[in-house]
Amino acid sequence: MKYDIDQIKAIKSMDNTLVIAGAGSGKTTTIIGKIDYIIKNNLYEEEEILIISFTNETVKELKSKIKYQIDVKTFHKLAKDIISKINKDLSIANDYELKYIINEYFNSYGKYNKKTNLIIKRIMQSANQKQIQNLIFSFINIYKCNYEDIYYLYNLYKKSIFINKYYFKIILDIYLIYSSELESSGKMDFNELIINATKYIKENKVKLNYKYIIIDEFQDISLIRFKLINSILNQNKAHIFAVGDDFQSIYKFSGCDISLFINIKTLLPDINIIKLNHNYRNNQSLINIANRFIMKNKKQIIKNTICHKDDLKPIKIVFYVDKKTVVNNILKNIKGNILILGRNNKDKEIFNIIENKYIKFLTIHSSKGMEEDNVILINLENSTLGLPLKTKKESILNKIFKCDYIIHEEERRLFYVALTRSRNNVYLITPYDNYSVFIKEIIKDNYKNLDFIHIK
């Protein structure tokens, strides 16, 4: 297999290394090349190498492409395997158990405890019960991704005033009830799996043999996940080869912390940083527009991307009146396979999308890592569930994020991911009279480099 100069540099780097791999830069190819290089040069044995990815789907994909007997795991599978060496009867709690406790708190305990009932009524002046319950569920999960105990949460409660104090009182109650329920039932949730696995490694209760750790999609790291990896690195004086793209960090809502990627030098001062500058998927015009768009986020890493093809106007802005007919009208004029991307699965019905062997629908989040001949991005309207989401920031959630809040920061990265799935053209579907602020910005900054299509 042929590699470009940047890929070769990454493959041969045996120090701690972070590879910044933009869209279409051959990230997986580089990982496979790295493994081949290690094994063929007898640098590490197969059983000394660990590969980590974030989802079962990406683990399965990597396993299918690796010809060696190397462990490929998700973080949760790694943590589960570590804990199982000590605790043979490990039981794992799923998301439903926390949601059940939150629901019971509001609908049972909260109704019959006078003080709590007053607090709930107070916070429900700013949002409805379902929104508040979802916010609390997100808060607890994100909190546990970044903190190992309750002390920081307790301090937030003590220092808060006004409506925030009411929120934190309820969150503290639910957190304590949830923790008690897990302990009494002998269960661990996914975050506790990682936290406890880290303790076992640090205390040398479990000894692992890994001396070289490869991490895919490193931009999706959280603090507790990093601590688990770091404990293995320290235990075995191992090395790390992390690959990712800060432009494609789109899982902040699940506890991922992009600042760990961007500020990696503060965590691993000796790490070698290599950029893959060549893009083998997209048109140069598209990437120029996409890169300019995302760099309006203040803390993204600058990339000078070189593409190997260039269609002068691969981005098409499509103005429509009728949601039910616009996609079918566009499909008549597109050659090649098509990936239709929406904000959520409901968009498929709203836009009357019918899939076949040439046409596939996905949410933008689930499309990361994929590519297709042509992409249609729908639901680009100025509405609550459009792109970007038209919602105010949740001040409670931002109390636990490590980086400063930037308006539409995550949404901007989500839009970038959608743009860069296409090998040829991207069709941005937007209503005549209510189009997204992202569309307005793209038109303002790149008018001469866009095609415009009007469908009545």
Side-chain angles (χ1 to χ4, degrees):
M1 186 174 290
K2 292 183 178 180
Y3 304 103
D4 64 44
I5 190 170
D6 301 320
Q7 291 173 325
I8 291 171
K9 188 177 178 182
I11 288 168
K12 291 186 175 181
S13 173
M14 294 309 297
D15 297 322
N16 287 332
T17 303
L18 172 65
V19 179
I20 300 175
S25 62
K27 169 178 67 73
T28 303
T29 298
T30 304
I31 290 173
I32 302 302
K34 164 65 75 173
I35 296 165
D36 282 339
Y37 181 78
I38 290 172
I39 299 299
K40 288 176 181 178
N41 288 279
N42 298 313
L43 299 173
Y44 292 98
E45 301 296 328
E46 293 179 35
E47 63 270 16
E48 293 177 326
I49 302 170
L50 169 66
I51 304 173
I52 300 176
S53 195
F54 283 79
T55 67
N56 291 323
E57 290 76 19
T58 53
V59 164
K60 186 177 179 180
E61 181 189 0
L62 284 168
K63 282 183 175 179
S64 70
K65 294 179 179 180
I66 295 169
K67 57 186 177 182
Y68 305 104
Q69 296 299 310
I70 292 172
D71 284 345
V72 186
K73 302 181 181 184
T74 64
F75 274 97
H76 294 136
K77 180 65 167 63
L78 171 63
K80 183 180 178 182
D81 288 349
I82 291 169
I83 291 172
S84 294
K85 291 179 183 294
I86 303 291
N87 182 356
K88 303 295 184 183
D89 300 317
L90 175 64
S91 182
I92 300 173
N94 58 36
D95 287 346
Y96 172 77
E97 296 181 57
L98 175 56
K99 288 179 179 178
Y100 176 81
I101 287 170
I102 294 171
N103 192 60
E104 284 294 295
Y105 184 90
F106 276 82
N107 295 319
S108 180
Y109 176 79
K111 281 185 177 180
Y112 301 110
N113 183 289
K114 288 185 179 180
K115 185 176 179 180
T116 302
N117 187 253
L118 288 173
I119 292 173
I120 289 174
K121 286 180 178 179
R122 177 68 181 86
I123 64 173
M124 284 179 64
Q125 292 176 15
S126 60
N128 64 45
Q129 183 173 319
K130 184 177 180 181
Q131 289 172 325
I132 293 168
Q133 289 187 202
N134 288 338
L135 174 61
I136 291 171
F137 176 80
S138 295
F139 184 99
I140 291 174
N141 270 317
I142 294 170
Y143 181 89
K144 294 185 78 170
C145 277
N146 291 282
Y147 300 93
E148 298 175 21
D149 53 48
I150 200 171
Y151 298 113
Y152 181 74
L153 176 56
Y154 181 73
N155 286 332
L156 287 176
Y157 165 68
K158 294 295 287 185
K159 293 177 182 178
S160 294
I161 57 174
F162 305 125
I163 190 70
N164 281 359
K165 199 167 190 75
Y166 294 123
Y167 268 109
F168 284 126
K169 173 64 171 68
I170 291 175
I171 291 169
L172 264 173
D173 282 351
I174 292 170
Y175 187 103
L176 289 168
I177 294 168
Y178 178 56
S179 297
S180 178
E181 285 292 320
L182 290 181
E183 186 176 357
S184 63
S185 62
K187 291 183 177 181
M188 297 182 195
D189 63 20
F190 285 134
N191 292 315
E192 288 178 338
L193 275 178
I194 293 173
I195 291 168
N196 285 309
T198 304
K199 289 179 182 177
Y200 286 3
I201 299 297
K202 282 184 174 180
E203 295 169 2
N204 281 314
K205 291 181 179 177
V206 173
K207 176 70 176 171
L208 299 179
N209 193 41
Y210 301 126
K211 295 180 181 176
Y212 200 84
I213 302 174
I214 298 172
I215 305 180
D216 187 21
E217 303 287 1
F218 190 70
Q219 76 277 350
D220 294 331
I221 199 78
S222 68
L223 186 57
I224 61 169
R225 287 169 179 158
F226 178 80
K227 286 181 175 180
L228 173 57
I229 295 304
N230 202 39
S231 69
I232 301 171
L233 295 177
N234 291 333
Q235 185 186 66
N236 296 326
K237 296 182 180 178
H239 285 87
I240 184 174
F241 183 81
V243 185
D245 180 16
D246 58 297
F247 284 8
Q248 299 183 70
S249 176
I250 57 173
Y251 291 104
K252 185 177 181 180
F253 64 87
S254 65
C256 301
D257 186 352
I258 191 176
S259 68
L260 299 172
F261 183 99
I262 292 172
N263 302 315
I264 188 66
K265 283 277 189 181
T266 63
L267 300 168
L268 299 170
D270 65 339
I271 199 162
N272 183 25
I273 297 178
I274 297 171
K275 294 182 182 179
L276 301 186
N277 296 306
H278 292 261
N279 178 304
Y280 299 97
R281 176 193 303 157
N282 309 120
N283 287 296
Q284 189 71 58
S285 298
L286 185 150
I287 282 297
N288 290 344
I289 291 170
N291 284 4
R292 188 182 305 122
F293 174 82
I294 200 166
M295 285 309 298
K296 296 199 178 171
N297 283 349
K298 294 178 181 178
K299 295 182 180 179
Q300 305 288 170
I301 298 170
I302 296 172
K303 300 177 182 68
N304 298 310
T305 310
I306 303 165
C307 297
H308 295 263
K309 56 183 178 179
D310 194 12
D311 180 338
L312 294 179
K313 294 183 178 182
I315 297 180
K316 323 288 184 182
I317 310 291
V318 182
F319 295 102
Y320 70 85
V321 174
D322 184 8
K323 286 183 181 180
K324 290 287 186 182
T325 61
V326 60
V327 173
N328 282 328
N329 285 333
I330 286 294
L331 290 174
K332 295 173 185 176
N333 300 308
I334 300 177
K335 294 180 180 179
N337 293 331
I338 298 161
L339 178 60
I340 302 174
L341 299 178
R343 160 119 246 152
N344 54 55
N345 286 313
K346 290 182 180 178
D347 286 341
K348 183 178 177 181
E349 297 176 13
I350 293 170
F351 281 82
N352 194 31
I353 293 165
I354 300 173
E355 295 183 85
N356 57 43
K357 63 180 181 179
Y358 305 108
I359 301 167
K360 185 172 184 177
F361 173 86
L362 289 173
T363 65
I364 305 172
H365 279 98
S366 61
S367 75
K368 190 152 74 77
M370 299 187 67
E371 60 182 59
E372 195 45 89
D373 295 334
N374 301 284
V375 168
I376 297 175
L377 179 56
I378 59 178
N379 203 3
L380 289 167
E381 59 184 52
N382 186 27
S383 66
T384 302
L385 295 177
L387 185 65
L389 283 171
K390 194 177 180 183
T391 56
K392 61 182 180 179
K393 68 173 185 176
E394 300 286 4
S395 60
I396 293 293
L397 288 179
N398 284 303
K399 295 284 186 183
I400 55 175
F401 289 126
K402 303 292 186 181
C403 47
D404 296 334
Y405 176 83
I406 302 170
I407 188 168
H408 300 325
E409 176 189 23
E410 184 98 343
E411 295 288 288
R412 193 172 287 274
R413 291 194 289 268
L414 193 64
F415 190 67
Y416 172 89
V417 167
L419 286 177
T420 55
R421 298 309 93 198
S422 170
R423 290 191 286 264
N424 297 321
N425 297 308
V426 179
Y427 296 81
L428 306 180
I429 311 295
T430 192
Y432 272 106
D433 55 356
N434 189 38
Y435 45 96
S436 156
V437 294
F438 282 173
I439 294 295
K440 291 181 181 179
E441 183 181 319
I442 289 286
I443 293 172
K444 180 182 177 183
D445 293 347
N446 308 279
Y447 186 82
K448 293 181 179 180
N449 297 311
L450 302 171
D451 257 348
F452 296 92
I453 301 170
H454 299 267
I455 294 183
K456 295 182 179 179

